[in-house]
Amino acid sequence: MSTQLAAFLIVAVAGVALSVYLFSLYQEADEVGQGTRWVDRWSFVPQDLGGFSYQMLVLVSVLGLFIELLLIRWVSSEIRIFAYFKNFVLIACFLGFGLGFHFCRRRIQLLAAIVPLFALCLLIQLPWPALRGVIRDLPLLLGVFSEVHIWGIPALDFSAGALLNLGAAMVISVPIFALVSLVFVPLGQLLGRYLGEAPHGIFGYTVDVLASLAGILLFTLLSFLYQPPIVWLGVAGAGLVLLLWKRPILRWTSLTVLVACLSLLSLREHPGSTVHWSPYQKLSLTPIERNGELTAYSLLTNSMWYQEIVDLSPEFVASHPGFLLGVPIEFNAYNLPYRFFPDPPSVLVLGAGMGNDVAAALRNGAQRVVAVEIDPLILELGREFHFERPYDSSRVEVLCDDARSYVQGSTEQFDLIVFALLDSHTTASHFSNIRIDNYVYTIEAIRAARRLLKPSGVFIVKFQVDHPWIAARLQKLLTNVFGSAPLELQAEQTHGTSGRFFFSSFGRNLARSLEDEELRSYVGRRAIASTVPVTMTTDDWPYFYQQQPGLPASVIAVSLVLVLLCGIALRGTGLQGRSIEWHFFSLGAGFMLLETQIVSKMALLFGTTWLTNSLVISAILLVIVSANMLVERLPWVPVRPTYLGLGGAILLTWLIPMQWLFLDPVWLRAGVAAAVLCLPVFFASIIFIDSFAKVNFRGPALGSNLLGALIGGMLESISLWTGIRSLLVVTAVLYLASYLLRSGPSGFRETLQGEGT
């Protein structure tokens, strides 16, 4: 048996056994007694921590949101399979919180939180090569489902072996999902108890929302400062120790586990590389030496190859004749665009990265270069380490922005526009399946970019094509926008990357370039034509990495397994369908879909940046607070008309085309977009807080709400089939169900007698 297979079996068996055991701690509903199990010495009730206080409510609320964001970001970056199904980590958090709220009257098991956290640290950081191989190769097991393109995963034929690979992926993924869920059960128990004991229920819930906002802002600040997971975990651990301070055994146990986790995180993955954490991803920079000389730097994102800084200056190339592997310097992939437009007066580089394409523009006589890159840390690394120092040139204007946001708002025109291997290795938000470049490759985006091209200019898209249908999609987009098929050719591989090029222009600009005999000969050798049938991407269906609209088999398989796991968890811990309050369940699912479509549409309007995501979620929480204040001041406001207002707001959002919201200036766009897109959230929040107040802020009601949000997160995948706009229809159906369930057998019958009084 190979060591990697042994590591796989150990992880699978240990993960399942640990998850089952920790879930079993909640099978006994001892709400008062200490219990006789050895683990019960680490169990407690809120009274052991001093009972209810608003300070404790704030602390547990901040801690809950902070740890949620921490695990979503950390697990998605280190275990690459979750980088492409990121909302499944969010779903695990909802499951844990939901169970915790349902168990808020049971004793709280500290080990259920800290043991999984330590297990995740071992899984991610333990320097065992066989284990590292298992985690690295986990996404490869999804290769049969090639209808969704994931970088570095080969497409495999559908076969029994491929299905076996999928099963192996699930065997590892399911315990990880369960461990993440378990971390949040104790936090949910505490929060549920505190909300139920708050002297003023609506005020208590408002404090919870504002404290959650503080947790988001704290994590956003650490991301802005490029802090690594060891700092995130240190902050979270300090908060946990403070929360448990009054009980010595809890305090010292949590502190011991925290030190062990931080020790693991301090281990270096590769001694020769430096690891940085941008607001988007994990970046690993490694110097490359040849014959004892530093000649390049390799950049990995989330432990996967992404870019290479290369020195293509005339002096370096002349002194290293074999460096380009026999490819003439003028036909190197970075220099090739300038054979079609020599000495361009102005160049726009979208996806500038660490500066290779910007350096090429300067070498080839560009008088002005605008370089747009979304990741601020990648820009900083390029500024510090690129051999040719392109970002220090007075001819270069560097902008840290989303490419779609820039082309949508700019009015400057360029002689040459280059999409410089602009590709994504992560999603834009844990609420959405949108990757950070999805809105760059839609028909609307290409039209917006074409508007910035001068009549005599050349438009170039360079992409690393791993599937024929990716090339066919780019060809279809450019053909639709420019009215003729682009010139498509495959550059030769040298250091850095090769890339597939798509050249478009107005009129005969390209034809005039090909009057050069040497260039015409090169194109004749490298030209390609992509003819695979493919669906064109739009702002409503922007899933560039999915071949056709539909629910990918990988998403269906993972969702079914997670639903089964959630059902087993509910049944195994004593919760049945009758325990779920279906009115609140429907509200949770509907609200999750509202959040998803707002995050997706705001990303379109303002860019798929980390700042946009943080501001949008913060704005949603503030809308919730305003709804709480309204209901607290005007408790007599009837809920049934509020449902009509919600329906009207959803209909308004459906009817208004997104293109109408691209207003200038930006502050006007922000105000109108927030008013239109967040209006349904306001009505939905009134309905929720009114319902929550009528059940006296019971933890199980909020638990049902979060379990509904879990299902809402899965339903978000419907947009992969029908588009983002269709989520509004599903949302409307869920809120209609919540209205009908208000007087249902598992709703709150007693509250509806004389409603509106």
Side-chain angles (χ1 to χ4, degrees), residues 5-78:
L5 178 58
F8 176 89
L9 293 176
I10 290 173
V11 170
V13 173
V16 171
L18 183 60
S19 301
V20 170
Y21 175 73
L22 292 175
F23 270 115
S24 73
L25 298 181
Y26 290 98
Q27 289 179 347
E28 298 180 18
D30 58 330
E31 301 182 9
V32 180
Q34 172 70 31
T36 58
R37 299 170 299 184
W38 69 274
V39 295
D40 287 330
R41 71 185 70 182
W42 289 283
S43 69
F44 63 98
V45 293
Q47 285 72 21
D48 297 332
L49 307 180
F52 172 82
S53 69
Y54 282 110
Q55 292 88 341
M56 294 296 283
L57 175 59
V58 168
L59 182 56
V60 74
S61 298
V62 170
L63 196 59
L65 247 295
F66 186 88
I67 293 177
E68 178 183 318
L69 294 176
L70 183 161
L71 288 182
I72 289 170
R73 177 85 189 282
W74 185 40
V75 171
S76 299
S77 299
E78 298 284 12

Coordinates of all heavy atoms in Angstrom, one line a residue, residues 5-78:
L5 N -2.0 6.4 -0.3 CA -3.2 5.7 0.0 C -3.4 5.5 1.5 O -4.6 5.6 2.0 CB -3.2 4.3 -0.7 CG -4.4 3.4 -0.5 CD1 -5.7 4.1 -1.0 CD2 -4.2 2.1 -1.2
A6 N -2.4 5.2 2.2 CA -2.5 5.1 3.7 C -2.9 6.4 4.3 O -3.8 6.4 5.2 CB -1.1 4.7 4.3
A7 N -2.4 7.5 3.8 CA -2.8 8.8 4.3 C -4.3 9.1 4.0 O -5.0 9.6 4.8 CB -2.0 9.9 3.7
F8 N -4.7 8.7 2.8 CA -6.1 8.9 2.4 C -7.0 8.1 3.3 O -8.0 8.6 3.8 CB -6.3 8.4 1.0 CG -7.7 8.4 0.5 CD1 -8.2 9.5 -0.1 CD2 -8.5 7.3 0.6 CE1 -9.5 9.6 -0.6 CE2 -9.8 7.3 0.2 CZ -10.4 8.5 -0.4
L9 N -6.7 6.8 3.6 CA -7.5 6.0 4.5 C -7.5 6.5 5.9 O -8.6 6.5 6.6 CB -7.0 4.6 4.5 CG -7.2 3.8 3.1 CD1 -6.6 2.4 3.2 CD2 -8.7 3.7 2.7
I10 N -6.4 7.0 6.4 CA -6.3 7.5 7.7 C -7.2 8.8 7.9 O -8.0 8.9 8.8 CB -4.9 7.9 8.1 CG1 -4.1 6.6 8.3 CG2 -4.8 8.7 9.4 CD1 -2.6 6.8 8.5
V11 N -7.1 9.7 6.9 CA -7.9 10.9 6.9 C -9.4 10.5 6.9 O -10.3 11.1 7.6 CB -7.6 11.8 5.8 CG1 -8.6 13.0 5.6 CG2 -6.2 12.4 6.0
A12 N -9.8 9.6 6.0 CA -11.2 9.2 5.8 C -11.7 8.6 7.1 O -12.8 9.0 7.6 CB -11.3 8.3 4.6
V13 N -11.0 7.6 7.6 CA -11.5 6.9 8.7 C -11.5 7.8 10.0 O -12.5 7.8 10.7 CB -10.7 5.6 9.0 CG1 -11.1 4.9 10.3 CG2 -10.8 4.6 7.8
A14 N -10.4 8.5 10.2 CA -10.3 9.3 11.4 C -11.4 10.5 11.3 O -12.0 10.8 12.3 CB -8.9 9.9 11.5
G15 N -11.5 11.0 10.1 CA -12.5 12.1 9.9 C -13.9 11.7 10.2 O -14.7 12.4 10.9
V16 N -14.3 10.6 9.7 CA -15.6 10.1 9.9 C -15.8 9.7 11.4 O -16.9 10.1 12.0 CB -15.9 8.8 9.0 CG1 -17.2 8.2 9.4 CG2 -16.0 9.3 7.5
A17 N -14.9 9.0 11.9 CA -15.0 8.6 13.3 C -15.1 9.8 14.3 O -15.9 9.8 15.2 CB -13.8 7.7 13.7
L18 N -14.2 10.8 14.1 CA -14.3 11.9 14.9 C -15.6 12.7 14.8 O -16.2 13.2 15.8 CB -13.1 12.8 14.5 CG -12.9 14.1 15.4 CD1 -12.7 13.7 16.9 CD2 -11.7 14.9 14.9
S19 N -16.1 12.9 13.5 CA -17.3 13.6 13.3 C -18.5 12.9 14.0 O -19.3 13.5 14.6 CB -17.6 13.7 11.8 OG -16.5 14.4 11.2
V20 N -18.5 11.6 13.8 CA -19.6 10.8 14.4 C -19.6 10.9 15.9 O -20.6 11.1 16.6 CB -19.6 9.3 14.0 CG1 -20.5 8.5 14.8 CG2 -19.9 9.2 12.5
Y21 N -18.4 10.8 16.5 CA -18.3 10.9 18.0 C -18.7 12.2 18.5 O -19.5 12.3 19.5 CB -16.9 10.5 18.4 CG -16.7 10.7 19.9 CD1 -17.3 9.8 20.8 CD2 -16.0 11.8 20.4 CE1 -17.1 10.0 22.2 CE2 -15.9 12.0 21.8 CZ -16.4 11.1 22.6 OH -16.3 11.2 24.0
L22 N -18.2 13.3 17.8 CA -18.6 14.6 18.3 C -20.0 15.0 18.2 O -20.6 15.6 19.0 CB -17.7 15.7 17.6 CG -16.2 15.6 18.0 CD1 -15.4 16.6 17.1 CD2 -16.0 15.9 19.5
F23 N -20.6 14.5 17.1 CA -22.1 14.7 16.9 C -22.8 13.9 18.0 O -23.9 14.3 18.5 CB -22.5 14.3 15.5 CG -22.5 15.4 14.5 CD1 -21.7 15.3 13.4 CD2 -23.4 16.5 14.6 CE1 -21.6 16.3 12.5 CE2 -23.4 17.5 13.7 CZ -22.5 17.4 12.6
S24 N -22.3 12.7 18.4 CA -23.0 11.9 19.4 C -23.0 12.6 20.8 O -23.9 12.3 21.6 CB -22.3 10.6 19.5 OG -21.0 10.7 20.2
L25 N -22.2 13.6 21.0 CA -22.2 14.3 22.3 C -23.5 15.1 22.4 O -23.9 15.4 23.6 CB -21.0 15.3 22.4 CG -19.6 14.7 22.3 CD1 -18.6 15.8 22.5 CD2 -19.5 13.7 23.4
Y26 N -24.2 15.3 21.3 CA -25.5 16.0 21.4 C -26.7 15.1 21.3 O -27.8 15.6 21.2 CB -25.5 17.1 20.2 CG -24.6 18.2 20.5 CD1 -23.3 18.2 19.8 CD2 -24.9 19.2 21.3 CE1 -22.4 19.2 20.1 CE2 -24.0 20.3 21.5 CZ -22.7 20.3 20.9 OH -21.9 21.3 21.1
Q27 N -26.5 13.8 21.4 CA -27.6 12.9 21.3 C -28.4 12.9 22.6 O -29.6 12.6 22.6 CB -27.2 11.5 21.0 CG -26.7 11.4 19.5 CD -26.2 10.0 19.2 OE1 -26.0 9.2 20.1 NE2 -26.0 9.7 17.9
E28 N -27.8 13.2 23.7 CA -28.5 13.2 25.0 C -28.9 14.7 25.3 O -28.0 15.6 25.3 CB -27.5 12.7 26.1 CG -27.2 11.3 25.9 CD -26.2 10.8 27.0 OE1 -26.2 11.4 28.1 OE2 -25.6 9.8 26.8
A29 N -30.1 14.9 25.5 CA -30.6 16.2 25.7 C -30.6 16.6 27.2 O -31.6 17.0 27.8 CB -32.1 16.4 25.2
D30 N -29.5 16.5 27.8 CA -29.4 16.9 29.2 C -29.3 18.4 29.4 O -28.2 19.0 29.1 CB -28.2 16.2 30.0 CG -26.9 16.5 29.3 OD1 -26.9 16.7 28.1 OD2 -25.9 16.5 30.1
E31 N -30.3 19.1 29.7 CA -30.4 20.5 29.7 C -29.8 21.1 31.0 O -29.4 22.2 31.1 CB -31.8 21.0 29.5 CG -32.4 20.6 28.2 CD -33.8 21.1 27.9 OE1 -34.2 22.0 28.7 OE2 -34.4 20.7 27.0
V32 N -29.8 20.3 32.1 CA -29.5 20.8 33.4 C -28.2 20.1 33.9 O -27.3 20.7 34.4 CB -30.6 20.7 34.3 CG1 -30.2 21.3 35.7 CG2 -31.8 21.5 33.8
G33 N -28.3 18.8 34.0 CA -27.3 18.0 34.7 C -25.9 18.1 34.1 O -25.8 18.3 32.9
Q34 N -24.9 17.8 34.9 CA -23.5 17.8 34.4 C -23.2 16.6 33.6 O -22.5 16.6 32.6 CB -22.6 17.8 35.7 CG -21.1 17.6 35.3 CD -20.5 18.8 34.6 OE1 -20.9 19.9 34.8 NE2 -19.6 18.5 33.7
G35 N -23.8 15.4 33.8 CA -23.6 14.2 33.1 C -22.4 13.4 33.7 O -21.6 13.9 34.5
T36 N -22.3 12.2 33.2 CA -21.3 11.3 33.8 C -20.2 11.0 32.8 O -19.2 10.3 33.2 CB -22.0 10.0 34.3 OG1 -22.6 9.4 33.2 CG2 -23.0 10.3 35.4
R37 N -20.3 11.4 31.6 CA -19.2 11.1 30.6 C -17.9 11.8 30.9 O -18.0 13.0 31.5 CB -19.7 11.3 29.2 CG -20.9 10.5 28.8 CD -21.5 11.0 27.5 NE -22.0 12.4 27.6 CZ -22.6 13.1 26.6 NH1 -22.8 12.5 25.5 NH2 -23.0 14.3 26.8
W38 N -16.8 11.3 30.6 CA -15.5 12.0 30.9 C -15.4 13.3 30.2 O -14.8 14.2 30.7 CB -14.4 11.1 30.5 CG -14.2 10.9 29.0 CD1 -14.8 10.0 28.3 CD2 -13.3 11.7 28.2 NE1 -14.4 10.1 26.9 CE2 -13.5 11.1 26.9 CE3 -12.5 12.7 28.4 CZ2 -12.8 11.7 25.8 CZ3 -11.8 13.3 27.3 CH2 -12.0 12.7 26.0
V39 N -16.1 13.4 29.0 CA -16.0 14.7 28.3 C -16.9 15.8 28.9 O -16.7 17.0 28.6 CB -16.5 14.5 26.8 CG1 -15.5 13.6 26.1 CG2 -17.9 14.0 26.8
D40 N -17.8 15.4 29.8 CA -18.7 16.4 30.4 C -18.0 17.4 31.3 O -18.6 18.4 31.7 CB -19.8 15.7 31.2 CG -20.8 15.1 30.2 OD1 -21.0 15.6 29.1 OD2 -21.4 14.0 30.6
R41 N -16.7 17.1 31.7 CA -16.0 18.1 32.5 C -15.7 19.4 31.7 O -15.4 20.5 32.2 CB -14.7 17.5 33.0 CG -13.6 17.3 31.9 CD -12.4 16.6 32.4 NE -12.7 15.2 32.7 CZ -11.8 14.4 33.2 NH1 -10.6 14.8 33.5 NH2 -12.1 13.1 33.4
W42 N -15.8 19.3 30.3 CA -15.7 20.4 29.5 C -17.0 21.0 29.0 O -17.0 21.8 28.1 CB -14.8 20.1 28.3 CG -13.3 19.9 28.6 CD1 -12.4 20.9 28.9 CD2 -12.7 18.6 28.8 NE1 -11.2 20.3 29.2 CE2 -11.3 18.9 29.1 CE3 -13.1 17.3 28.6 CZ2 -10.4 17.9 29.4 CZ3 -12.1 16.3 28.8 CH2 -10.8 16.6 29.2
S43 N -18.1 20.5 29.5 CA -19.4 21.0 29.1 C -19.8 22.1 30.1 O -19.3 22.2 31.2 CB -20.5 19.9 29.1 OG -20.7 19.5 30.5
F44 N -20.7 23.0 29.7 CA -21.1 24.1 30.5 C -22.4 24.7 30.0 O -22.9 24.3 29.0 CB -20.0 25.2 30.5 CG -19.7 25.9 29.1 CD1 -20.3 27.1 28.8 CD2 -18.9 25.2 28.2 CE1 -20.1 27.6 27.5 CE2 -18.7 25.8 26.9 CZ -19.3 27.0 26.6
V45 N -22.9 25.6 30.8 CA -24.1 26.4 30.4 C -23.8 27.8 30.6 O -22.8 28.2 31.2 CB -25.3 26.0 31.4 CG1 -25.8 24.6 31.1 CG2 -25.0 26.3 32.8
P46 N -24.5 28.7 29.9 CA -24.2 30.2 30.0 C -24.0 30.7 31.4 O -23.2 31.6 31.6 CB -25.3 30.8 29.3 CG -25.8 29.8 28.3 CD -25.7 28.5 29.0
Q47 N -24.7 30.2 32.4 CA -24.6 30.7 33.7 C -23.2 30.5 34.3 O -22.7 31.2 35.1 CB -25.6 30.0 34.6 CG -27.1 30.4 34.5 CD -27.7 30.0 33.2 OE1 -27.2 29.0 32.6 NE2 -28.7 30.6 32.7
D48 N -22.5 29.4 33.8 CA -21.1 29.2 34.2 C -20.2 30.3 33.8 O -19.1 30.5 34.3 CB -20.6 27.9 33.7 CG -21.4 26.7 34.2 OD1 -21.9 26.8 35.3 OD2 -21.5 25.7 33.5
L49 N -20.6 31.1 32.7 CA -19.8 32.2 32.2 C -20.3 33.5 32.8 O -19.8 34.6 32.3 CB -19.8 32.2 30.7 CG -19.5 30.9 30.0 CD1 -19.5 31.0 28.5 CD2 -18.1 30.4 30.4
G50 N -21.3 33.5 33.7 CA -21.8 34.7 34.2 C -23.2 35.1 33.8 O -23.8 36.1 34.2
G51 N -23.8 34.2 33.0 CA -25.2 34.5 32.5 C -25.2 35.5 31.4 O -24.2 36.0 30.9
F52 N -26.5 36.0 31.1 CA -26.7 36.9 30.1 C -26.1 38.3 30.4 O -26.2 38.8 31.5 CB -28.1 37.1 29.7 CG -28.4 38.2 28.7 CD1 -28.2 38.0 27.4 CD2 -28.8 39.5 29.2 CE1 -28.4 39.0 26.5 CE2 -29.0 40.5 28.3 CZ -28.8 40.3 26.9
S53 N -25.5 38.9 29.4 CA -25.1 40.3 29.4 C -24.9 40.8 28.0 O -24.6 39.9 27.1 CB -23.8 40.6 30.2 OG -22.7 40.1 29.5
Y54 N -25.2 42.0 27.7 CA -25.0 42.5 26.4 C -23.6 42.4 25.9 O -23.3 42.2 24.7 CB -25.5 43.9 26.2 CG -27.1 44.0 26.1 CD1 -27.8 44.5 27.2 CD2 -27.7 43.5 25.0 CE1 -29.2 44.5 27.1 CE2 -29.1 43.5 25.0 CZ -29.8 44.0 26.0 OH -31.2 44.1 25.9
Q55 N -22.6 42.5 26.9 CA -21.2 42.4 26.5 C -20.9 41.0 26.0 O -20.2 40.8 25.0 CB -20.3 42.7 27.7 CG -20.3 44.1 28.2 CD -21.4 44.4 29.2 OE1 -22.4 43.7 29.3 NE2 -21.3 45.5 29.9
M56 N -21.5 39.9 26.7 CA -21.3 38.6 26.2 C -22.0 38.3 24.9 O -21.5 37.6 24.0 CB -21.8 37.6 27.3 CG -21.0 37.6 28.6 SD -19.3 37.1 28.3 CE -19.5 35.3 28.2
L57 N -23.2 38.9 24.7 CA -23.9 38.8 23.4 C -23.0 39.4 22.3 O -22.9 38.8 21.2 CB -25.2 39.5 23.5 CG -26.0 39.5 22.2 CD1 -26.3 38.2 21.7 CD2 -27.3 40.3 22.4
V58 N -22.5 40.5 22.5 CA -21.6 41.2 21.5 C -20.4 40.3 21.2 O -20.0 40.1 20.0 CB -21.1 42.6 22.0 CG1 -20.0 43.1 21.1 CG2 -22.3 43.5 22.0
L59 N -19.8 39.8 22.3 CA -18.5 39.0 22.1 C -18.8 37.7 21.3 O -18.1 37.4 20.3 CB -17.9 38.6 23.4 CG -16.6 37.8 23.4 CD1 -15.6 38.5 22.6 CD2 -16.1 37.6 24.8
V60 N -19.9 37.0 21.6 CA -20.1 35.7 20.9 C -20.6 36.0 19.4 O -20.3 35.3 18.5 CB -21.2 34.9 21.6 CG1 -22.6 35.4 21.5 CG2 -21.1 33.4 21.1
S61 N -21.3 37.2 19.2 CA -21.7 37.5 17.9 C -20.5 37.9 17.0 O -20.4 37.5 15.8 CB -22.7 38.7 17.9 OG -23.9 38.3 18.6
V62 N -19.6 38.7 17.5 CA -18.4 39.1 16.8 C -17.6 37.8 16.5 O -17.2 37.6 15.3 CB -17.6 40.1 17.6 CG1 -16.2 40.3 16.9 CG2 -18.3 41.4 17.7
L63 N -17.5 37.0 17.5 CA -16.6 35.8 17.3 C -17.3 34.8 16.3 O -16.5 34.2 15.5 CB -16.5 35.1 18.7 CG -15.4 34.0 18.8 CD1 -14.1 34.6 18.6 CD2 -15.5 33.4 20.3
G64 N -18.6 34.7 16.3 CA -19.2 33.8 15.4 C -19.0 34.2 13.9 O -18.6 33.3 13.1
L65 N -19.2 35.5 13.6 CA -19.0 35.9 12.2 C -17.6 35.9 11.8 O -17.2 35.5 10.7 CB -19.6 37.3 12.1 CG -20.8 37.4 11.1 CD1 -20.5 37.1 9.7 CD2 -21.9 36.5 11.6
F66 N -16.7 36.2 12.8 CA -15.3 36.3 12.4 C -14.8 34.8 12.1 O -14.0 34.6 11.1 CB -14.5 36.8 13.6 CG -13.0 37.0 13.3 CD1 -12.6 38.2 12.8 CD2 -12.1 36.0 13.7 CE1 -11.2 38.4 12.5 CE2 -10.8 36.2 13.4 CZ -10.3 37.4 12.8
I67 N -15.1 33.9 12.9 CA -14.7 32.5 12.7 C -15.3 31.9 11.4 O -14.7 31.2 10.7 CB -15.0 31.6 13.9 CG1 -14.2 32.0 15.1 CG2 -14.7 30.1 13.6 CD1 -14.5 31.3 16.4
E68 N -16.5 32.3 11.1 CA -17.2 31.9 9.9 C -16.4 32.4 8.7 O -16.1 31.6 7.8 CB -18.6 32.5 9.8 CG -19.3 32.1 8.5 CD -20.7 32.7 8.5 OE1 -21.4 32.7 9.5 OE2 -21.1 33.2 7.4
L69 N -16.0 33.7 8.6 CA -15.2 34.2 7.5 C -13.8 33.6 7.5 O -13.3 33.3 6.4 CB -15.1 35.7 7.6 CG -16.4 36.5 7.5 CD1 -16.2 38.0 7.7 CD2 -17.0 36.2 6.1
L70 N -13.3 33.3 8.7 CA -12.0 32.7 8.8 C -11.9 31.3 8.1 O -11.1 31.1 7.3 CB -11.5 32.6 10.2 CG -10.2 32.1 10.6 CD1 -9.8 32.5 12.1 CD2 -10.1 30.6 10.6
L71 N -12.9 30.5 8.5 CA -12.9 29.1 8.0 C -13.2 29.1 6.5 O -12.7 28.3 5.7 CB -13.9 28.3 8.7 CG -13.4 27.9 10.2 CD1 -14.4 27.0 10.8 CD2 -12.1 27.2 10.2
I72 N -14.2 30.0 6.0 CA -14.5 30.0 4.6 C -13.3 30.4 3.8 O -12.9 29.7 2.8 CB -15.6 31.0 4.4 CG1 -17.0 30.5 4.9 CG2 -15.8 31.3 2.9 CD1 -18.1 31.5 4.9
R73 N -12.6 31.4 4.2 CA -11.4 31.9 3.5 C -10.2 30.9 3.6 O -9.6 30.5 2.6 CB -11.0 33.2 4.1 CG -9.7 33.8 3.5 CD -10.0 34.6 2.2 NE -8.8 34.9 1.5 CZ -8.0 35.9 1.9 NH1 -8.3 36.7 3.0 NH2 -6.8 36.2 1.3
W74 N -10.0 30.3 4.8 CA -8.8 29.5 5.0 C -9.0 28.1 4.3 O -8.2 27.6 3.6 CB -8.6 29.4 6.5 CG -7.4 28.6 6.9 CD1 -6.2 28.6 6.4 CD2 -7.3 27.7 8.0 NE1 -5.3 27.8 7.0 CE2 -6.0 27.2 8.1 CE3 -8.2 27.3 9.0 CZ2 -5.6 26.3 9.0 CZ3 -7.8 26.4 10.0 CH2 -6.5 25.9 10.0
V75 N -10.1 27.5 4.6 CA -10.4 26.1 4.1 C -10.5 26.2 2.6 O -9.9 25.3 1.9 CB -11.7 25.5 4.7 CG1 -12.1 24.2 4.0 CG2 -11.5 25.3 6.2
S76 N -11.1 27.2 2.0 CA -11.2 27.3 0.6 C -9.9 27.5 -0.1 O -9.7 27.1 -1.3 CB -12.2 28.5 0.2 OG -13.5 28.3 0.7
S77 N -9.0 28.2 0.6 CA -7.7 28.4 0.0 C -6.7 27.2 0.1 O -5.9 27.0 -0.8 CB -7.0 29.7 0.7 OG -7.7 30.8 0.5
E78 N -6.8 26.5 1.2 CA -5.9 25.4 1.4 C -6.3 24.1 0.9 O -5.5 23.2 0.6 CB -5.6 25.3 2.9 CG -5.0 26.6 3.6 CD -3.5 26.7 3.2 OE1 -3.0 25.9 2.4 OE2 -2.8 27.5 3.9

